[in-house]
Amino acid sequence: MKYKRVLLKLSGEALMGNQQYGIDPQRLDDYAEEIANAVREGAQIAIVIGGGNIFRGLQGASKGIDRVQGDSMGMLATVINSIAIQSTLQAKGIKTVLLSGLYIDKIAETMSGPKAIEYLENGYVVVIGGGTGNPYFTTDTGSALRAIEIKADIILKGTRVDGIYTADPEKDPSATKYESITYDEAYNKNLKVMDLTAFTMCKENNMPMLVFDMNTKGNLTKVLSGENIGTLVTK
């Protein structure tokens, strides 16, 4: 296995499946099965899920909701998604713990790097909800922070496309895929992979990221084993 300990970043929108809102039970189960199979192969996996299928702070702010309060709503949305993936993994017999950047003691333990590492080393999938616990930070930045805290080998960003392209491949059929790219190149070319804060954290801490298609069955295990899938982003 090429990557032993990883931070898997999933978007909230990915959980919608073909729905317009919320969580598609089939998509949720498909993702949980992929993760469960990887864990059975010996991978240590921490997960950060966005909340865009339920609420986005920035969109709320554009409609009159206070930005800080909107971001709090977005962080709570990530907790809902995190509980969903935790429950589904547990139903498959996978030991799973929920940690949170927000203090929600009846639902999740408070996130800390050493605690997360201890759980990972004891065979748990660690789901980390609540973003960074602070407004004005995206779940991209949250995933970069958590990857660094748990000393992950890499961030795996699971999307619905098979890597990073010169343009949106769903809109531009002439778009070509990058096999690898640096954080500086991705930023300078304005490729919408992660926000600048997340890019900066990854670059300064030498944290690589691989963008791949999470919706193709078996891809997560293939990525962990080192198969040439997706686009690798490095310093």
Side-chain angles (χ1 to χ4, degrees):
M1 185 173 290
K2 183 174 183 179
Y3 304 115
K4 176 69 174 177
R5 179 182 297 164
V6 301
L7 188 293
L8 177 62
K9 166 65 168 64
L10 300 172
S11 72
E13 286 91 337
L15 292 183
M16 292 192 298
N18 295 320
Q19 300 177 170
Q20 299 299 310
Y21 178 85
I23 300 171
D24 175 3
Q26 185 57 58
R27 175 60 55 80
L28 180 67
D29 189 77
D30 289 346
Y31 279 2
E33 188 62 30
E34 289 287 298
I35 295 161
N37 288 337
V39 170
R40 293 180 188 120
E41 292 288 327
Q44 295 181 8
I45 300 180
I47 304 169
V48 170
I49 309 180
N53 56 322
I54 298 171
F55 188 84
R56 278 187 175 277
L58 274 173
Q59 289 178 356
S62 70
K63 296 175 182 176
I65 294 176
D66 176 80
R67 173 65 192 271
V68 173
Q69 291 173 316
D71 281 356
S72 295
M73 293 169 71
M75 287 186 281
L76 288 170
T78 72
V79 174
I80 293 171
N81 286 337
S82 296
I83 294 170
I85 196 74
Q86 177 195 27
S87 178
T88 309
L89 283 165
Q90 288 173 334
K92 294 180 181 295
I94 301 298
K95 295 189 296 184
T96 310
V97 63
L98 176 57
L99 306 182
S100 175
L102 292 171
Y103 180 68
I104 319 176
D105 64 329
K106 291 189 177 181
I107 295 173
E109 297 180 40
T110 302
M111 168 61 192
S112 80
K115 183 189 297 181
I117 290 170
E118 183 177 355
Y119 273 120
L120 288 166
E121 291 179 341
N122 283 306
Y124 282 79
V125 170
V126 177
V127 185
I128 309 171
T132 66
N134 300 289
Y136 298 100
F137 292 95
T138 66
T139 48
D140 280 345
T141 301
S143 61
L145 170 65
R146 302 315 182 194
I148 294 161
E149 283 185 298
I150 68 169
K151 298 178 171 62
D153 297 325
I154 194 168
I155 297 172
L156 300 180
K157 184 167 184 178
T159 68
R160 62 187 182 190
V161 293
D162 63 344
I164 301 172
Y165 283 75
T166 53
D168 187 342
E170 295 177 346
K171 297 177 182 176
D172 184 354
S174 67
T176 56
K177 178 184 162 188
Y178 293 100
E179 295 298 320
S180 63
I181 193 169
T182 67
Y183 281 109
D184 282 342
E185 287 173 331
Y187 175 69
N188 290 334
K189 293 176 186 294
N190 198 30
L191 302 175
K192 305 295 185 182
V193 185
M194 277 187 161
D195 61 61
L196 178 58
T197 309
F199 267 161
T200 303
M201 288 187 69
C202 288
K203 180 184 172 184
E204 289 184 349
N205 292 277
N206 201 22
M207 176 61 65
M209 177 176 63
L210 194 142
V211 180
F212 74 106
D213 176 10
M214 182 68 182
N215 293 351
T216 298
K217 187 175 181 180
N219 262 6
L220 178 58
T221 302
K222 290 177 181 177
V223 164
L224 290 166
S225 66
E227 289 195 31
N228 188 22
I229 293 173
T231 301
L232 181 65
V233 190
T234 58
K235 183 177 179 181

Coordinates of all heavy atoms in Angstrom, one line a residue, residues 1 36-43 221:
M1 N 0.8 -1.2 0.0 CA 0.0 0.0 0.0 C 0.9 1.2 0.0 O 1.7 1.4 0.9 CB -0.9 0.0 1.2 CG -1.9 1.1 1.3 SD -3.1 0.9 2.6 CE -4.1 -0.5 2.0
A36 N -14.9 1.3 3.6 CA -14.8 0.0 4.4 C -13.8 -1.0 3.8 O -13.0 -1.6 4.4 CB -16.2 -0.6 4.6
N37 N -13.9 -1.1 2.5 CA -13.0 -2.0 1.7 C -11.5 -1.6 1.9 O -10.6 -2.4 2.1 CB -13.3 -2.1 0.3 CG -14.6 -2.8 0.0 OD1 -15.0 -3.7 0.8 ND2 -15.3 -2.6 -1.1
A38 N -11.3 -0.3 1.9 CA -9.9 0.3 2.0 C -9.4 0.0 3.4 O -8.2 -0.3 3.6 CB -9.9 1.8 1.7
V39 N -10.3 0.2 4.4 CA -9.9 -0.1 5.8 C -9.6 -1.5 6.0 O -8.6 -1.9 6.7 CB -11.0 0.4 6.8 CG1 -10.7 -0.1 8.2 CG2 -11.2 1.9 6.7
R40 N -10.3 -2.4 5.4 CA -10.1 -3.9 5.5 C -8.7 -4.2 4.9 O -8.2 -5.3 5.3 CB -11.2 -4.6 4.9 CG -12.6 -4.5 5.6 CD -13.7 -5.3 4.9 NE -15.0 -5.0 5.5 CZ -16.0 -4.5 4.9 NH1 -15.9 -4.2 3.6 NH2 -17.1 -4.2 5.5
E41 N -8.3 -3.4 4.0 CA -7.0 -3.6 3.3 C -5.8 -3.1 4.2 O -4.7 -3.3 3.9 CB -6.9 -3.0 1.9 CG -7.8 -3.6 0.9 CD -7.3 -5.0 0.4 OE1 -6.1 -5.2 0.4 OE2 -8.2 -5.8 0.2
G42 N -6.2 -2.4 5.3 CA -5.2 -1.9 6.2 C -4.9 -0.4 6.2 O -4.0 0.1 6.9
A43 N -5.7 0.4 5.4 CA -5.5 1.8 5.4 C -6.0 2.5 6.7 O -7.0 2.0 7.3 CB -6.2 2.4 4.2
T221 N -9.4 2.2 -3.3 CA -8.4 1.2 -3.0 C -7.2 1.2 -4.0 O -6.1 1.1 -3.7 CB -9.0 -0.2 -3.0 OG1 -10.1 -0.2 -2.0 CG2 -8.0 -1.3 -2.7

